[in-house]
Amino acid sequence: MSALDSISTRLAYTEDQALLRDEARRMLATRSSIEAVRALHPDPVGDDPAVWSELAQLGWLGLLASEEHGGAGLGAVEFAILAEEAGRTLLPTPLLAHVLAAKVVDVGGSAAQRATWLPPLAAGGLRASWAHVEVGGTWRVDDTTVEEEGGRLHGTKAFVWAAETADVFCLPVRVDGEVRIALVRRDAVGLHVQGEAGLDRTRRQGRIVLDGAAPEALLERPASEVEAAILPLAWTALAAESVGGATAALDLTAAYAATREQFGKPIGAFQAIKHPLVNVLIATEQARSLVYAAACAIDQGNDDAVLLARMAKAGSADAYGFATSRAIQFHGGFGFTEDCDAHLYRRRALASRPALGDPDHHRARIADQILGARAP
Amino acid sequence: MAQEEIFTQEALDSFRAEVRRWVEQNRPPDPGFVLPQTMLSVTTDDQFTYLRDWQAKVYDAGFVGVEWPVEYGGGGRPRGYQRVVDQEMSRAGVPFLINLVGLAWAGPVILAYGTEAQKQRFIMKALRADEIWCQGFSEPSAGSDLASLQTRAVRNGDEWAVSGHKVWTSLGRYAHQMILLARTDPDAQKHAGISFFLAPMKIEGIEVAPLTKLTGEGGFNQIFFDDARFPAERLLGQEGQGWEIALATLGFERGASDGAAGGRSDVYSYDIGALIELARETVRDGRPALEDPSVRDRIARFATEAVAMRFSRLRTRIPGLVADRPMALPLMAKVESSEHLQRLADYGCELQGYAGSLTKGDPAAVDEGEWQRFYLNTYSMTIAGGTSEIVRNILGEKVLGLPKTR
Ligand SMILES: Cc1cc2nc3c(=O)[nH]c(=O)nc-3n(C[C@H](O)[C@H](O)[C@H](O)COP(=O)(O)OP(=O)(O)OC[C@H]3O[C@@H](n4cnc5c(N)ncnc54)[C@H](O)[C@@H]3O)c2cc1C
């Protein structure tokens, strides 16, 4: 594998990490069962405040934040574990959005800014989200069209997770020709939130219109530096969440195929069902290997992190799409109903695919990294 | 406490350096004839002798059976060392080890099920390629449904007498020993009536008839047994235990079980690195194919698969990371790696454009037609040792809990 020979990341998984996974799985199975998730569909807020408090008590809302500021100071592997478990149950609580936003503050803030903002974020008293996507779908911080002028912000961000429930947004803004990360409160005068009609009702999103709102702070470090630290983590977490979801969709479908009978036998005995499900299994397990490779690379501070995280994001999006498409198909007419859980996962997979780059995007960058950029 | 590799990285690194140095200094000379791509296609006596000498040399240097017990001629080192040797050999592009059946399938089951006398008798000779092994499982009407095999073994006093017909027997023409499945109790239930033998090949009553493969090479054979007799102590395990041992053998053959004494069983020298080189050399629309966005996308897909396979292999060693489905990764490795290489080889041929329609012998063939030979050869991996379809059945049933297909 000449071009990939230099990958040197070591896989590792501690007892504590295994315990964290078990605890997360137990907790989410009882507090965020798929029935509970469905029950939140008509809810205007879309997530259960009691679950938020419980996540706060477990220390998971401050998972990545520094210990000196009340965080758990844990790493990408732990984040991947929680994301994977959250993905299995389609947890509507905006855990990923919040943990990533807190990490933005941790990475980008001055000592004073971190001391001010991190403790309430880690404790969960303040809910945050990362608002970095443009209306047209570009999502790099350098793409931002939000402008700062005389201490006021003007512009619009879209596809913001938890837009209607976050207390504070981290968003990239242009200040004197430089891009910085601003912290803006949702209740700031001149900030308007419009919920979007999302395909995936288990992850609420919306638009933020800034019409002269004043930021609470501008993080000290340049936005591009913050983004460089955040992206591999965010790709890996989304990939982990997708692997969790793909696994749940596979389990659901395999269980159905083992019991639903036609032509006098369970449909899972037909290879037209069995073999595609095995292909789903292979795609999902391959993606899971990439997720934990990427997470270990991040925690080891290894240069492989970007490449592996892109591979994980691309591979998991494909696997999730495949798993959930087969989930609907193999439930037959029942799969076409609102009552069957298959479409819930299918919707999440469709909505997550474009987030922070779709598979085509990542493969183009993977190619640049292993082959060198194309000649102009 | 991290559940990491048990060996220390430094010791392994210095071992790697030692292997690399040795390989550089002992690279065998160009044979002056075309070598087969794997042990499955050894066709001529020249090829056979050359490859057998090479394995003996590697063994004498201490790089075959590196992890196997010292008392049977192995190196007695911890797990992880053999893989280093395999990787270095593959990297250096030196020939493969011819006695793959002995090193990777027969040897491990003899270590697991054999008597002390059997281990003493067979292991070291297999490691050094003093005795070549072949596998007599498949029959004309028992392939995927292996347990329906009909070759009979009858016990007469201190001897077994075997009659029947085996097919697709790789290396059958050169082998000294065979792992043989035969029915010893025709009245017992299908799986229960089978026994496992370590049968001598160079005896009366055994006739070998070569077959020609789709690449035009030999390697495969039919084996006819007509009252072939060998001593009773050639039985491995108990009478009727054959199916259990056969499954263990297939576990090794499919790469689902660790423990081979070397042999780069799954390594053709064509991989993602070779594909990238090919794309660099190939011109498309007046530019290197490597610059074409659709080629780049395909390469990125293959690269992603290759890296995922690599980390899947590493992940099998970390119990916490495979806790939910412990059997998934070992069972899926064969399907995934063989089909990955098949797609990759196919794409290599496609990238060549019109030149992809040429083969060995044409001066304009790319890389002397090796990609085409490689592509045809990849079907050995998707068919032998349990076809992809059969392995998918097993995965569906053992891992996903789906009902049996009948
Ligand atoms: C290169 C090579 C080397 C080999 N070397 C050896 C050797 O050294 N020793 C040895 O004993 N054997 C050897 N084999 C034989 C190999 O193990 C068999 O070819 C293999 O098990 C398939 O059996 P078959 O050829 O009878 O095909 P069949 O079993 O007839 O299969 C034909 C097709 O039907 C499919 N099929 C069969 N049953 C099912 C099912 N239940 N569900 C879905 N699909 C099914 C198969 O997947 C395949 O696509 C070798 C084969 C090859 C290609």
Side-chain angles (χ1 to χ4, degrees):
Chain A
M1 278 205 308
S2 59
L4 305 167
D5 266 351
S6 61
I7 293 177
S8 64
T9 296
R10 285 174 306 108
L11 280 186
Y13 197 73
T14 63
E15 301 284 349
D16 285 346
Q17 288 164 343
L19 289 173
L20 176 68
R21 176 198 56 209
D22 294 346
E23 189 178 16
R25 189 170 299 178
R26 214 167 29 240
M27 183 264 172
L28 292 171
T30 50
R31 301 306 308 272
S32 185
S33 65
I34 203 79
E35 293 76 25
V37 169
R38 280 177 170 278
L40 287 165
H41 263 44
D43 186 86
V45 172
D47 73 78
D48 180 353
V51 174
W52 181 269
S53 316
E54 205 161 324
L55 294 178
Q57 271 159 28
L58 287 163
W60 297 348
L61 297 177
L63 188 81
L64 302 178
S66 327
E67 282 173 286
E68 51 168 330
H69 298 305
L74 293 170
V77 172
E78 284 82 4
F79 195 22
I81 289 167
L82 290 191
E84 185 182 337
E85 295 306 321
R88 274 177 200 266
T89 65
L90 295 173
L91 175 71
T93 307
L95 175 70
L96 260 63
H98 181 81
V99 170
L100 284 171
K103 184 71 180 177
V104 167
V105 175
D106 206 357
V107 172
S110 65
Q113 287 169 331
R114 296 166 71 229
T116 306
W117 292 93
L118 286 176
L121 288 173
L126 194 68
R127 295 169 65 137
S129 187
W130 184 24
H132 59 110
V133 190
E134 287 288 299
V135 173
T138 51
W139 49 271
R140 301 298 300 249
V141 292
D142 284 343
D143 297 322
T144 194
T145 57
V146 176
E147 301 273 354
E148 190 262 9
E149 239 191 83
R152 304 280 165 185
L153 302 179
H154 296 274
T156 304
K157 285 287 172 190
F159 312 105
V160 179
W161 287 349
E164 294 174 288
T165 52
D167 299 308
V168 62
F169 299 108
C170 307
L171 56 89
V173 301
R174 290 187 187 283
V175 186
D176 301 331
E178 197 196 0
V179 180
R180 304 272 295 277
I181 308 275
L183 301 187
V184 197
R185 283 190 175 271
R186 181 167 48 90
D187 57 11
V189 176
L191 187 152
H192 311 283
V193 176
Q194 301 161 358
E196 291 165 348
L199 177 67
D200 171 17
R201 289 293 284 166
T202 67
R203 172 144 58 211
R204 300 300 170 90
Q205 59 187 44
R207 216 173 246 219
I208 300 171
V209 178
L210 298 146
D211 186 12
E216 296 284 318
L218 286 177
L219 297 185
E220 188 177 48
R221 281 177 72 184
S224 56
E225 285 179 23
V226 179
E227 182 184 57
I230 292 297
L231 282 181
L233 258 177
W235 289 326
T236 304
L238 259 170
E241 187 194 79
S242 298
V243 163
T247 306
L250 173 61
D251 288 346
L252 181 77
T253 314
Y256 187 74
T259 50
R260 164 74 180 171
E261 293 199 2
Q262 286 292 284
F263 301 98
K265 50 180 146 179
I267 56 168
F270 297 115
Q271 293 174 339
I273 304 279
K274 180 179 285 178
H275 288 192
L277 286 181
V278 167
N279 293 343
V280 168
L281 170 74
I282 293 173
T284 305
E285 291 299 333
Q286 292 276 82
R288 180 175 276 114
S289 299
L290 290 169
V291 163
Y292 286 95
C296 288
I298 294 170
D299 288 344
Q300 288 160 24
N302 197 307
D303 289 343
D304 305 335
V306 171
L307 180 69
L308 292 174
R310 286 188 184 281
M311 288 181 163
K313 177 67 172 72
S316 66
D318 286 342
Y320 202 6
F322 182 31
T324 52
S325 138
R326 294 306 82 195
I328 295 177
Q329 180 69 19
F330 293 164
H331 279 82
F334 176 50
F336 202 70
T337 65
E338 140 79 2
D339 284 344
C340 178
D341 292 335
H343 75 99
L344 302 181
Y345 290 98
R346 186 76 198 96
R347 287 164 180 270
R348 171 65 71 86
L350 286 166
S352 296
R353 182 168 56 191
L356 296 166
D358 63 17
D360 277 354
H361 166 92
H362 286 296
R363 281 194 294 267
R365 303 308 185 282
I366 289 165
D368 288 348
Q369 204 166 332
I370 62 181
L371 306 176
R374 294 173 64 210
Chain B
M1 189 195 64
Q3 301 170 354
E4 286 181 59
E5 269 82 307
I6 40 174
F7 43 78
T8 71
Q9 198 57 43
E10 300 85 281
L12 208 59
D13 288 346
S14 87
F15 179 66
R16 186 182 293 281
E18 182 192 330
V19 178
R20 192 169 293 187
R21 214 167 30 247
W22 184 86
V23 174
E24 271 157 21
Q25 287 163 5
N26 292 277
R27 182 184 291 281
D30 184 335
F33 48 82
V34 177
L35 282 173
Q37 287 181 322
T38 71
M39 69 86 196
L40 296 169
S41 306
V42 177
T43 311
T44 67
D45 294 356
D46 285 345
Q47 290 175 334
F48 175 71
T49 310
Y50 178 90
L51 289 164
R52 189 181 173 182
D53 290 349
W54 168 241
Q55 180 171 335
K57 187 165 174 184
V58 178
Y59 174 78
D60 292 340
F63 299 136
V64 183
V66 174
E67 299 165 21
W68 283 17
V70 178
E71 58 269 38
Y72 311 123
R77 293 186 192 255
R79 204 158 113 166
Y81 280 74
Q82 189 66 55
R83 198 168 162 71
V84 166
V85 174
D86 295 353
Q87 283 169 346
E88 288 303 315
M89 298 274 173
S90 165
R91 188 178 158 278
V94 292
F96 53 85
L97 301 181
I98 187 173
N99 202 15
L100 182 69
V101 177
L103 301 180
W105 316 336
V109 294
I110 294 172
L111 285 180
Y113 292 92
T115 61
E116 181 59 29
Q118 286 170 330
K119 294 178 199 173
Q120 295 289 358
R121 164 71 187 78
F122 295 114
I123 296 295
M124 180 171 134
K125 286 187 155 63
L127 291 175
R128 206 171 173 275
D130 289 343
E131 284 184 349
I132 300 296
W133 284 77
C134 68
Q135 179 188 35
F137 283 19
S138 305
E139 298 181 5
S141 55
S144 296
D145 184 11
L146 182 60
S148 67
L149 60 90
Q150 295 303 325
T151 294
R152 278 282 277 134
V154 178
R155 175 100 187 225
N156 289 322
D158 284 348
E159 279 188 343
W160 289 98
V162 177
S163 293
H165 181 182
K166 295 284 173 182
V167 71
W168 321 130
T169 319
S170 304
L171 279 172
R173 202 152 78 80
Y174 293 107
H176 305 88
Q177 310 289 349
M178 168 189 270
I179 42 175
L180 167 70
L181 288 180
R183 192 162 296 285
T184 44
D185 184 353
D187 301 324
Q189 183 266 339
K190 185 168 154 185
H191 298 85
I194 298 172
S195 297
F196 196 112
F197 298 94
L198 310 173
M201 288 292 288
K202 312 284 185 196
I203 58 172
E204 234 173 276
I206 294 184
E207 219 173 293
V208 179
L211 293 163
T212 304
K213 295 182 162 173
L214 80 174
T215 57
E217 295 163 291
F220 262 176
N221 301 272
Q222 306 201 61
I223 316 276
F224 299 95
F225 293 83
D226 179 15
D227 198 31
R229 288 163 187 268
F230 50 76
E233 64 262 23
R234 291 283 182 145
L235 176 71
L236 184 68
Q238 306 298 310
E239 222 179 299
Q241 203 186 358
W243 187 248
E244 177 194 332
I245 306 177
L247 290 183
T249 313
L250 291 172
F252 290 110
E253 183 171 355
R254 291 170 188 158
S257 314
D258 259 357
R264 297 164 50 196
S265 59
D266 56 355
V267 187
Y268 281 88
S269 45
Y270 288 81
D271 61 7
I272 178 76
L275 184 68
I276 291 170
E277 275 318 301
L278 179 67
R280 211 184 291 286
E281 303 296 321
T282 304
V283 175
R284 224 189 218 198
D285 300 330
R287 314 176 69 180
L290 203 63
E291 307 256 309
D292 182 325
S294 68
V295 173
R296 295 169 78 84
D297 187 72
R298 292 292 290 271
I299 290 176
R301 278 175 200 270
F302 286 124
T304 303
E305 288 171 9
V307 171
M309 284 192 292
R310 170 155 152 193
F311 282 102
S312 287
R313 202 158 46 222
L314 293 170
R315 188 153 71 88
T316 54
R317 303 205 200 128
I318 303 179
L321 280 175
V322 293
D324 287 328
R325 302 191 198 276
M327 282 317 291
L329 293 179
L331 285 174
M332 71 186 226
K334 176 186 187 271
V335 178
E336 180 58 16
S337 64
S338 61
E339 294 183 356
H340 165 82
L341 283 180
Q342 198 163 79
R343 289 190 295 270
L344 188 141
D346 185 23
Y347 191 57
C349 295
E350 182 182 340
L351 261 185
Q352 297 170 12
Y354 268 108
S357 66
L358 301 174
T359 185
K360 247 187 197 342
D362 192 288
V366 177
D367 287 351
E368 297 172 15
E370 283 291 289
W371 279 93
Q372 284 70 18
R373 182 163 71 138
F374 169 45
Y375 171 66
L376 293 173
N377 266 330
T378 59
Y379 288 89
S380 66
M381 297 181 285
T382 53
I383 295 173
T387 65
S388 292
E389 291 71 35
I390 294 301
V391 178
R392 281 195 170 80
N393 283 346
I394 296 171
L395 277 159
E397 289 155 24
K398 295 255 152 59
V399 177
L400 295 179
L402 296 174
K404 265 189 137 13
T405 296
R406 297 207 184 277

